[in-house]
Amino acid sequence: MDELVLQTKDLTKRYGTGDSARLAVDRVSMTVRRGEVYGFLGPNGAGKTTTLRMVLGLIRPTAGSATVLGRPAGEPETTARIGALIEGPGFYPYLSGRDNLRTMARYRGLPDDIADAALERVDLAGRGRDRFKSYSLGMKQRLGVAAALMGDPDVIVLDEPTNGLDPAGMADMRALIVDLARGGQTVLLSSHLLAEVEEICDRVGVIAGGRLLVESTVSALRGGRRLRLVATPIDQALAVAMRIAGDEAVQLDRDAVLLDVPAERMPHVVRSLVTEGLDVHEATISERTLEDVFFEMTDTGLHPQTGDLEPTSLEAVR
Amino acid sequence: MSTVLDKPAADRGGNPVLDSTRAEILRLRKWPAVWVTIGAWLSMNAMFGYIFDYVTYTSGTSSFSNEGEPRAAILARLLPSSIPDLLAQGMPMFGGAIMMVLGAIIAGNGYGWGTWKTVLTQGPSRTSTLLGSLSAMTALVAGLVTVTLLSDYAMSLAVAIAQSQSTALPAFGDTAQAVGVAFLVMEMWALAGYLLGTVARGPALSVGLGLVWALVIENLLRGVGTSLSWVESFTHVLPGTASGSLVGQMIGNVGGPNDTPGLLDTLSFQRGLWTTVAYAVLLPLLTWWLVRRRDVT
């Protein structure tokens, strides 16, 4: 189960030279294991697509390496074992969806009739004979996924497959990916939608500004539960909380104090506040969403001056 | 779903170049733009090769293209025995221009549509993909030359029967040479278009620049060349000069006012032939060099 399907080591892509150089991808080292759905998460322009393009051999890395199934990325034998949809579906507009798939099947050395099976798989069989240019965005994306599924690839790389879809289309696409995962398919899914990743991914890699900030399971990333306290006066409450949990584990969220302490210490915390003469208005146990984690990380990642990014909490979940 | 979708990779026999060729033929065969281009060439060939001359002949008047020419000479040109001369005469300039458009759209459109990106993630290497694409285009050009030959034969036969003239076929050797030269000239221009489409990553700029080059600039340079000797020697290595001379020398008697534009006698047949062959080898090599090293986005 722990077999590595895909691995990058210090993968780097720099555009331009000298002062105008721009690091699109900065020493990204990530691993995707067999059978998992890996979420590649990051804001727009973080370097997700550039990384995936290097994995597929579409662009040349400036430094570092990518291996797929133990072989260098970009070799024909390697690429043939990946099914990919990279940055929007690229198909011949004048051909029908079916003929587009038949064309790609021929490139893969597969029989033409595989196209019909792939169309069935993404619920496009009914529109298979219509021209690609008449398709809605959702149908185009589904056709892209259909092309990626042909020939039972070892890993399927889907780059923002729900981009531009309406809520129903998104739900369909997620259901399809969950379905693939249930069948034991390895999926590398890039997305800027946290809810999506949280819902369907086993492990995630978070990328921002070209750097992989963290790679971990979704649950480890979200961490444990937190205490949320609303007490007045707030500055005193903050002081008490810090004394109990330590400076590092306390955060101020508008009128609430958030503590990273085990839930069973709740009574102790509340008692201390009351003993100090504070008014406690609310005490709840809240779970962090991936969104919270993500913004904490990408904020620090994008603004290094605000804090020490690398060590402590992030290192702990690695 | 353990049906055909799950066909294991190991079972896929085949050769990546052949796979790519089959894929490319499928998508070219169903592309309306390809048929429009082919139709444009065939109707141009029919109009300038037969229809205008035949109308001139039957109406007995003289037009811009046959001033002072005896009617018997016009008729002789329209008979089956003249096919070798007629087949290739429009190709250095008009046929070449159309083939350049064809090559440029085959190579260039894929960048805008993102289809090269999709194709290059299917498995075949860039070299195999390019070889497949060029093979499919070459098959298309060869087919087009064959169809041109057949349509020329059909039209000349119709003229011969209508005018009760000889339906004798030309010598096989002459026909074979004309077909070979026609194919070489058309293929060279298609390869030039393919390179331009690859360089520009799109059809518009490459078609525009290519046509201006083939139809305008080469002619202007040849004009300038009459007074500047170094420009003249430069024009001797240009594709238009090479293919124009190749066809011009094959037909012979080039230089009169009634000649098809693009036909030249600047170079000898041999030199025209080898220069055209050199282009047909060099252009795809350049394309290959570019396709192999570039980032596809």
Side-chain angles (χ1 to χ4, degrees):
Chain A
M1 190 66 187
D2 268 4
E3 186 197 340
L4 291 183
V5 172
L6 192 155
Q7 185 173 26
T8 71
K9 279 197 181 122
D10 294 327
L11 202 59
T12 302
K13 182 70 183 180
R14 185 195 302 273
Y15 287 108
T17 48
D19 290 342
S20 62
R22 189 176 62 83
L23 261 180
V25 174
D26 186 7
R27 285 167 289 146
V28 165
S29 299
M30 61 189 260
T31 52
V32 179
R33 297 175 191 146
R34 185 171 291 281
E36 74 178 358
V37 180
Y38 184 98
F40 198 29
L41 191 62
N44 291 331
K48 301 188 293 290
T49 302
T50 307
T51 306
L52 297 181
R53 282 208 181 103
M54 285 190 277
V55 165
L56 280 153
L58 286 175
I59 63 178
R60 243 174 248 265
T62 311
S65 67
T67 49
V68 180
L69 302 151
R71 302 186 60 119
E75 282 189 0
E77 298 78 18
T78 316
T79 310
R81 296 172 73 177
I82 311 177
L85 165 61
I86 298 291
E87 200 173 49
F91 289 107
Y92 304 104
Y94 56 88
L95 286 183
S96 68
R98 183 166 170 271
D99 281 335
N100 266 302
L101 291 187
R102 285 171 68 207
T103 303
M104 295 309 161
R106 286 185 176 192
Y107 270 112
R108 288 198 162 238
L110 297 167
D112 283 4
D113 57 5
I114 206 167
D116 295 311
L119 284 172
E120 288 281 346
R121 191 79 175 81
V122 298
D123 286 332
L124 272 180
R127 296 289 306 272
R129 289 174 192 275
D130 295 346
R131 286 186 177 201
F132 177 72
K133 66 179 166 199
S134 73
Y135 283 9
S136 68
L137 188 56
M139 292 163 68
K140 288 178 175 172
Q141 295 276 39
R142 294 217 300 277
L143 191 71
V145 175
L149 295 178
M150 289 193 299
D152 191 29
D154 288 84
V155 54
I156 293 177
V157 176
L158 301 175
D159 184 22
E160 311 238 3
T162 56
N163 221 0
L165 300 192
D166 58 18
M170 280 190 181
D172 286 349
M173 183 64 74
R174 280 175 206 162
L176 180 64
I177 297 167
V178 169
D179 207 33
L180 288 174
R182 248 184 236 130
Q185 182 66 256
T186 310
V187 181
L188 168 52
L189 169 77
S190 98
S191 180
H192 64 272
L193 298 172
L194 297 136
E196 178 171 290
V197 168
E198 191 159 20
E199 194 181 328
I200 58 185
C201 293
D202 306 309
R203 283 168 71 242
V204 290
V206 179
I207 186 170
R211 301 178 64 190
L212 191 70
L213 302 179
V214 66
E215 185 177 66
S216 147
T217 62
V218 173
S219 51
L221 198 59
R222 282 167 60 189
R225 293 181 293 184
R226 296 201 288 189
L227 304 189
R228 186 173 184 280
L229 296 165
V230 180
T232 48
I234 186 81
D235 47 344
Q236 251 178 289
L238 199 60
V240 172
M242 282 179 169
R243 204 176 62 222
I244 297 170
D247 291 3
E248 292 289 318
V250 178
Q251 259 188 313
L252 189 63
D253 178 21
R254 283 191 293 275
D255 58 344
V257 180
L258 303 174
L259 285 84
D260 284 325
V261 295
E264 56 271 21
R265 295 197 65 193
M266 167 87 94
H268 171 68
V269 176
V270 174
R271 197 177 305 120
S272 308
L273 290 171
V274 174
T275 314
E276 296 278 337
L278 279 81
D279 294 335
V280 177
H281 302 274
E282 190 185 325
T284 48
I285 295 170
S286 76
E287 289 195 51
R288 293 205 300 174
T289 62
L290 199 54
E291 191 169 354
D292 300 331
V293 183
F294 180 74
F295 283 122
E296 276 168 34
M297 253 183 319
T298 50
D299 282 351
T300 39
L302 293 170
H303 309 287
Q305 71 275 14
T306 58
D308 46 344
L309 167 69
E310 291 292 351
T312 58
S313 62
L314 293 186
E315 213 51 56
V317 291
R318 253 178 222 268
Chain B
M1 278 311 291
S2 63
T3 55
V4 275
L5 265 187
D6 299 343
K7 194 172 164 65
D11 288 4
R12 305 168 193 167
N15 166 317
V17 177
L18 211 62
D19 290 341
S20 305
T21 309
R22 288 180 63 242
E24 199 71 353
I25 284 176
L26 170 65
R27 72 108 174 170
L28 291 181
R29 190 161 53 82
K30 299 203 172 194
W31 191 2
V34 166
W35 292 105
V36 169
T37 315
I38 291 174
W41 162 247
L42 289 176
S43 39
M44 216 155 94
N45 180 58
M47 278 194 293
F48 292 103
Y50 289 94
I51 297 172
F52 288 154
D53 273 357
Y54 186 67
V55 171
T56 310
Y57 172 74
T58 50
S59 60
T61 57
S62 54
S63 77
F64 73 96
S65 73
N66 72 340
E67 257 172 272
E69 203 177 10
R71 289 183 71 208
I74 303 177
L75 182 59
R77 240 192 355 245
L78 302 176
L79 297 178
S81 56
S82 297
I83 285 178
D85 287 353
L86 219 123
L87 177 69
Q89 66 171 10
M91 290 183 175
M93 188 171 266
F94 303 116
I98 288 180
M99 288 305 101
M100 190 143 64
V101 172
L102 192 69
I105 61 172
I106 290 175
N109 268 318
Y111 292 97
W113 292 334
T115 45
W116 285 129
K117 170 193 73 184
T118 309
V119 166
L120 290 176
T121 54
Q122 301 304 313
S125 67
R126 294 187 180 199
T127 305
S128 306
T129 308
L130 177 66
L131 280 174
S133 182
L134 291 179
S135 304
M137 185 177 79
T138 304
L140 192 69
V141 173
L144 187 57
V145 171
T146 311
V147 172
T148 310
L149 178 69
L150 293 177
S151 83
D152 282 359
Y153 178 62
M155 286 184 289
S156 61
L157 199 61
V159 170
I161 291 169
Q163 299 296 326
S164 311
Q165 297 289 320
S166 159
T167 57
L169 288 172
F172 176 77
D174 291 347
T175 313
Q177 187 195 37
V179 168
V181 164
F183 169 74
L184 182 63
V185 168
M186 296 286 256
E187 176 74 358
M188 181 199 73
W189 284 113
L191 290 167
Y194 200 99
L195 174 63
L196 285 174
T198 307
V199 171
R201 294 178 188 246
L205 185 66
S206 47
V207 166
L209 286 181
L211 290 184
V212 168
W213 174 266
L215 299 178
V216 182
I217 296 184
E218 275 206 33
N219 284 315
L220 289 178
L221 283 176
R222 279 194 283 272
V224 176
T226 55
S227 47
L228 284 175
S229 65
W230 62 270
V231 176
E232 190 183 7
S233 31
F234 173 67
T235 60
H236 286 178
V237 297
L238 297 179
T241 312
S243 57
S245 300
L246 175 60
V247 176
Q249 297 287 16
M250 182 179 72
I251 297 172
N253 297 322
V254 171
N258 299 331
D259 285 328
T260 308
L263 296 189
L264 301 167
D265 58 0
T266 319
L267 307 176
S268 69
F269 180 83
Q270 290 295 326
R271 178 123 185 252
L273 177 67
W274 289 117
T275 314
T276 310
V277 168
Y279 272 109
V281 172
L282 214 64
L283 293 167
L285 280 177
L286 260 171
T287 311
W288 178 69
W289 175 78
L290 195 63
V291 163
R292 263 181 64 90
R293 64 189 296 276
R294 86 165 14 154
D295 283 354
V296 176
T297 53

